[in-house]
Amino acid sequence: MHAVIVSGGKQYRVQAGDVLKIEKLSIEAGSTIDFDQVLMVGDGSTVQVGKPYVEGCKVMASVLAQGRHDKVRILKFRRRKHHMKQMGHRQYYTEVKITDIVTGS
């Protein structure tokens, strides 16, 4: 069984046992979270598509860790102008493990 959930403005296709790095959520490591914004649920040949969300369906996950991604280097350069600017950014994330997908029917 798989589902498509929304978290942090992004969509993720998940199954039970998947480990995801999603946008930072203010939840402590070791706790559980329920994603109730489920766009689609599929199980083999049967597929339920929500309008916009599937009613009565939720995806349960446990929070493994909070962290930061690797640094993304930004380089702005103007040729022949003696101008170069370097910056960097590290995005925060929450690592979750999908434990179960519960359907309404």
Side-chain angles (χ1 to χ4, degrees):
M1 178 177 285
H2 65 275
V4 176
I5 62 170
V6 176
S7 177
K10 298 178 177 71
Q11 298 177 5
Y12 301 94
R13 182 181 184 271
V14 297
Q15 299 182 64
D18 285 352
V19 176
L20 300 173
K21 291 182 179 179
I22 61 176
E23 292 293 319
K24 183 177 188 288
L25 301 171
S26 53
I27 296 177
E28 297 178 8
S31 60
T32 60
I33 183 170
D34 293 341
F35 296 103
D36 56 353
Q37 294 182 341
V38 180
L39 298 175
M40 186 191 81
V41 176
D43 187 16
S45 61
T46 61
V47 175
Q48 294 179 3
V49 179
K51 297 178 187 177
Y53 304 119
V54 179
E55 292 185 22
C57 183
K58 65 181 178 179
V59 175
M60 295 186 285
S62 61
V63 178
L64 299 179
Q66 303 281 352
R68 293 176 80 182
H69 286 287
D70 293 335
K71 182 173 276 195
V72 176
R73 304 240 180 236
I74 299 108
L75 179 68
K76 295 184 178 183
F77 180 76
R78 305 271 188 233
R79 64 181 186 160
R80 300 187 306 270
K81 305 297 181 193
H82 293 138
H83 176 80
M84 185 170 73
K85 183 178 181 182
Q86 288 186 356
M87 293 182 291
H89 175 74
R90 293 185 69 192
Q91 183 71 29
Y92 287 95
Y93 68 83
T94 301
E95 190 172 13
V96 296
K97 181 173 184 176
I98 305 300
T99 55
D100 194 18
I101 298 173
V102 179
T103 60
S105 56

